[in-house]
Structure formats: C-alpha cells, structure tokens
Amino acid sequence: MSGTSMLIHLILERFSWHELLRVPEPSLIMNNPAQITAFMESGREDGILAFTYFYHALQATPVIHPGDRVLDLACGPANQLVQIARLNPNAHFVGLDASSNMLDRGRATLARCGVENVDLALGDMTQLTDIGDATIDCVICTMSLHHLPNLEALTSTMREVRRVLKPDGGLYFADFGRLKRASTQRFFAHDRLDSQIAQFTQDYLHSLKAAFSVGELSDAFEVLGPGVVRYQTPLAPFMVIFKSAIHRGLDISTRHLAQELYGRMTTAQQKDFQVFARWLRIAGCSLPCVLS
Ligand SMILES: C[S@@+](CC[C@H](N)C(=O)[O-])C[C@H]1O[C@@H](n2cnc3c(N)ncnc32)[C@H](O)[C@@H]1O
C-alpha cells in the first residue's frame, strides 16, 4: 500500500466515467500447483497478504461467538482461516473449498500452525448440499466471490448462505470490487512487484479483473436482508466488505491476543495494516480494538 501514487490512481478512479467489463478468472477453482503455491506463500505470516488476513480476522471476530459453528466459504490454503480460528479458539470452523489440491495445502497450514478448531471439506459454495438448513451460526468468505463464473453463481451462493445460516446468524464477507481503470488494476497488482512471486502478480491482476461491481455484489446480498452492512474503501471499491450489523468490542483476552499477533508482524506489515485500516475507517468500518 504505497502513498502518493496510490492516491493519484484513486482520484482518477473517482472521476472516471468509464466502466470496465468483468473478465472471469481463467481458473475458477484453483487446482494448478504453481498457482496454489504462489497464493499459499503470499498468505503465510511473512507473506505479502498477511496484514490483510489479520485485518479481516479482527473484523470478523465481533460476529463470531464462543461455541459457534462457523463456515468459511472457499477457504483456499486456510491462511485466512487460521488467523480467524486463532482469535476465536472457542468457536468451531469448517473450511470449504472446491479444490482438493487447495485443501491438501490447507491441511498442511493447520498442522504447521497447530490450529485444532478447524475441519476442512470439499464442496461447492454455490450448492451447499451437505449442509442442513439453519445449522450454521456464522458464514465468512474472503477474497473468493470473484472466483465465481457469473452473476447466477453469485446469486446461488447467497441463497445458499441464507438457507444454511441460522436466522440471527453472523456474516463477514470481503472481496475486491471492480475498478474502473485498467491502469488502477495494474497499479495494485504491480505495487509490490519486487516482493511478490511472478505467478502471484499475474493471478492478482486476474482477480481484480474478475471482481464483481459494487452494484452486482449489493444486489446479490439483498437476499440476506437488512441486517447486513456494506463498507467499501473510499474513492474506489478496491475492497468491499459485507458484515452483520453488530457493533461489539472484543473481550479482554481477545484484545490481548490480537495485540500479541499484531506485535509479531514486521514494521512494514504493521504500516500496511494501519494504512489499510485507516482507508476503511474513513468509510465507517472501524476496528473492534485499538492496536499499537
Ligand atoms: C483466491 S482464493 C481465496 C482463499 C481464501 N478465502 C483466502 O482469503 O485466502 C479463492 C478460492 O476459491 C475456491 N473456489 C472457487 N470456486 C469455488 C466454488 N464454487 N466453491 C468453493 N470454492 C471455490 C478456489 O479453489 C480458491 O481456493
């Protein structure tokens, strides 16, 4: 997350009238080993995505309660899931993904991190056939909706989420929104060219091109009713978050744990985290606790 050039791109986005068409991901379900490795390494504790994972873990935590059964749709290599599960040791998580190769990496992540409150399962988020009606306390999904092929699949996913979620269940979804300018997409994908694997750069650009627009996402989320609030990064919808309208702080032990995990990040990661958090805070999406 770099300063001046990012701001220039965002201002140009804000005043652009142009709309880019969506270009679906070339690999919707991620089965390619090179692609999986690039994504998995980028999400590890020392990886380029670690600060965003920590951000989403913190933001998801107020919608999760002790004892909850939480479903993570399209969990990938479980780097995000591990961060959320660590912050919520008294909830039980099921990570679902349509790629068995990805789930193998997910199992390796869980073993490496020693996280035990997570199970992984093969499944398609557009048809949650193995999950009963109103059996899930909370559904989370990060950086995955853009892997769906089209609006029909997005709508089916949201209908399934409504079906499996308990009536007062929690929700935390985060994904890219579609930007207006190809050069802004390239800027974000290339921003950290020196520190990211070439495969990751290519996949990052594909992800930004495959993002649904804010309008498309909002229409699809309507089925979940008025209790869901949308936040998006100001000037351009680089990140769009849909979250249950729950405003509760974290209990003291979770706050201490969050501070400890924050303290383990490098200075550069902490700086990226703070820039990202500030950007979303301007949109009204505040963190559930202060970290320093
Ligand atoms: C970019 S990864 C995101 C993984 C993880 N949520 C994260 O934030 O790191 C997208 C994941 O979506 C999975 N996926 C794509 N289509 C799917 C579907 N219909 N059902 C379940 N998983 C799917 C892919 O296999 C891939 O693991």
Side-chain angles (χ1 to χ4, degrees):
M1 303 252 119
S2 326
T4 314
S5 40
M6 179 167 131
L7 191 59
I8 292 168
H9 275 285
L10 294 179
I11 291 169
L12 291 171
E13 276 285 320
R14 172 68 184 79
F15 293 105
S16 170
W17 295 107
H18 188 66
E19 294 281 333
L20 285 175
L21 288 178
R22 175 171 194 253
V23 183
E25 281 274 359
S27 12
L28 299 168
I29 293 166
M30 291 172 72
N31 265 317
N32 175 315
Q35 195 184 23
I36 294 178
T37 300
F39 188 66
M40 180 164 174
E41 290 187 2
S42 308
R44 288 168 67 126
E45 293 84 341
D46 56 352
I48 194 157
L49 294 175
F51 79 92
T52 57
Y53 285 164
F54 183 60
Y55 179 86
H56 294 308
L58 263 184
Q59 288 291 26
T61 294
V63 303
I64 299 168
H65 299 89
D68 273 2
R69 184 170 181 232
V70 184
L71 176 65
D72 181 13
L73 294 178
C75 63
N79 285 318
Q80 175 70 81
L81 188 48
V82 157
Q83 294 225 26
I84 300 178
R86 266 190 185 145
L87 268 180
N88 296 275
N90 298 317
H92 186 80
F93 294 82
V94 178
L96 183 102
D97 203 280
S99 160
S100 52
N101 287 346
M102 205 43 122
L103 290 177
D104 288 344
R105 305 298 182 98
R107 279 183 204 100
T109 306
L110 297 176
R112 179 176 61 80
C113 298
V115 169
E116 292 181 348
N117 54 334
V118 176
D119 287 319
L120 299 180
L122 194 64
D124 178 353
M125 65 176 144
T126 66
Q127 300 172 55
L128 301 172
T129 39
D130 291 340
I131 305 178
D133 298 359
T135 53
I136 300 292
D137 297 290
C138 182
V139 180
I140 56 182
C141 179
T142 55
M143 315 318 298
S144 295
L145 294 179
H146 68 268
H147 273 263
L148 294 171
N150 49 38
L151 285 175
E152 287 72 30
L154 180 62
T155 307
S156 304
T157 301
M158 292 308 149
R159 280 209 200 100
E160 283 293 79
V161 170
R162 185 186 58 178
R163 182 182 66 75
V164 302
L165 198 58
K166 290 181 181 171
D168 55 350
L171 199 102
Y172 184 84
F173 277 63
D175 206 347
F176 301 118
R178 194 154 72 249
L179 299 167
K180 292 183 194 160
R181 301 166 65 248
S183 60
T184 317
Q185 293 178 338
R186 278 195 301 275
F187 167 77
F188 280 114
H190 294 180
D191 185 32
R192 292 288 158 82
L193 217 46
D194 297 345
S195 43
Q196 61 198 33
I197 307 163
Q199 174 80 48
F200 177 82
T201 305
Q202 184 185 320
D203 294 340
Y204 193 173
L205 190 55
H206 286 152
S207 298
L208 291 168
K209 290 181 177 180
F212 289 104
S213 70
V214 174
E216 289 165 343
L217 289 167
S218 302
D219 287 350
F221 273 87
E222 261 183 26
V223 74
L224 290 156
V228 180
V229 183
R230 186 189 81 221
Y231 301 97
Q232 66 192 69
T233 44
L235 297 177
F238 171 74
M239 185 63 47
V240 187
I241 293 173
F242 291 85
K243 183 179 175 184
S244 299
I246 293 171
H247 300 285
R248 81 178 160 91
L250 305 184
D251 62 39
I252 186 130
S253 64
T254 312
R255 282 211 306 274
H256 282 150
L257 188 54
Q259 184 62 53
E260 189 196 320
L261 295 171
Y262 180 75
R264 283 191 211 162
M265 290 202 289
T266 64
T267 309
Q269 287 174 323
Q270 289 179 353
K271 190 169 165 240
D272 280 339
F273 174 90
Q274 294 295 352
V275 170
F276 192 58
R278 201 175 313 130
W279 195 11
L280 276 150
R281 191 162 53 237
I282 298 169
C285 192
S286 300
L287 286 172
C289 66
V290 178
L291 298 169
S292 56

